Amino acid sequence: MTPAQWQREWQAALRDPAALLEHLQLDPELLGPARQAAGLFPLRVPQAYLARIRPGDPDDPLLRQVLPLGTEAVATPGFADDPVGDGASLQTGGIIHKYRGRALLVATGACAINCRYCFRRHFPYAEASASSGQWAEALAYLRGDRTIHEAILSGGDPLSLNDRRLRELADGLAELPHLRRIRIHSRLPVVLPSRIDANLLDWLGGTRLSAVMVIHANHPNELDAGVADALQRLAAHGVRLYNQAVLLRGVNDRADVLEALGERLFDLGVQPYYLHLLDRVQGAAHFEVPETEACGLMRTLAARTPGYLLPRLVREVAGEPWKVPIEWTSKG
């Protein structure tokens, strides 16, 4: 079978730190630390995303999300391999069941892009992926708990799987009468917009379950014309679109950037949803923005934008039965 366009683009993703630095005309002295960090967590950047990064600018906010740095190899107190308690909530068949009424399927460990702040960069995908059991164990778990009304597909990135596998899973989920929604958390509409093709839209628009997609954009420069087209096609097929961002030092830790991100998302039919404080995963400490600073940013943002464009500032705390909202309205 001939690979789809998105699959060819996937295979062409840049994986060599030397090639990244050369392509973007960056200081060769970055190569040693980049190779060290990429040995701990591989580099992967699709060409479609690479094209949005400004050459010659080591502080480009998109570059910062993908460039391996030597600081990733430094162990930081307070940071952990499993900062959100996935392991304690892991069930049979690659299910993570933390919250009442919904369960998450770790559909795959593959991603089209390796974000350097990824909270699952240390996750044991080989032993804990729903796809390894051809969905049977995951579906059996969901079938056995009628309090679950929403199945969340995550990973890795579930849209890295081909449409035959995803349709098979969606059909199995649709057979469970107590399920109402299928929610997909994916970075691919942003980093590899060609993934939103006719085959994907066919099965996603054909399920009886209400379809929700939570995309992941952190900066308005990520949302180019190709991304806009992909999002508009999803919306035209009845998919409800939300965005979750992570507050990242040197990427979006300014009120004007968050304002522009919210406005651009809304123009494209995407509702700003969550702004996450950094999950404190080992290797990502250089991205952390203190909570007090985050609250100040939210107060500034609230003074500039209507309430429906404000994302909810949250932190995920291991063991808590919901995302923990951060109170930012008081002066401090």
Side-chain angles (χ1 to χ4, degrees), residues 94 104-109 129-132 135 153-155 157-158 161 166 169:
L104 182 148
L105 286 75
V106 180
T108 176
S129 171
S131 60
S132 63
W135 314 126
L153 308 189
S154 184
D157 197 306
L161 297 170
L166 288 170
L169 175 58

Side-chain angles (χ1 to χ4, degrees), residues 277-320:
L277 295 180
L278 181 74
D279 293 320
R280 306 188 86 200
V281 64
Q282 280 291 357
H286 55 291
F287 285 113
E288 187 168 44
V289 176
E291 184 175 316
T292 53
E293 185 176 337
C295 291
L297 286 170
M298 288 298 297
R299 289 193 291 271
T300 301
L301 191 61
R304 296 182 178 186
T305 63
Y308 56 82
L309 292 185
L310 282 179
R312 284 174 273 180
L313 182 66
V314 297
R315 183 192 295 279
E316 186 161 0
V317 177
E320 291 293 338

Side-chain angles (χ1 to χ4, degrees), residues 122 167 198:
H122 306 292
R167 184 188 293 273

Side-chain angles (χ1 to χ4, degrees), residues 71-132:
T71 53
E72 295 179 34
V74 178
T76 305
F79 285 70
D81 287 355
D82 180 13
V84 300
D86 279 346
S89 303
L90 189 62
Q91 310 295 326
T92 184
I95 295 278
I96 293 177
H97 195 180
K98 294 182 181 180
Y99 306 133
R100 187 182 185 280
R102 53 213 187 270
L104 182 148
L105 286 75
V106 180
T108 176
C111 282
I113 193 167
N114 283 352
C115 302
R116 307 315 299 179
Y117 52 88
C118 178
F119 71 96
R120 289 198 181 119
R121 60 186 288 167
H122 306 292
F123 190 83
Y125 288 109
E127 303 90 45
S129 171
S131 60
S132 63

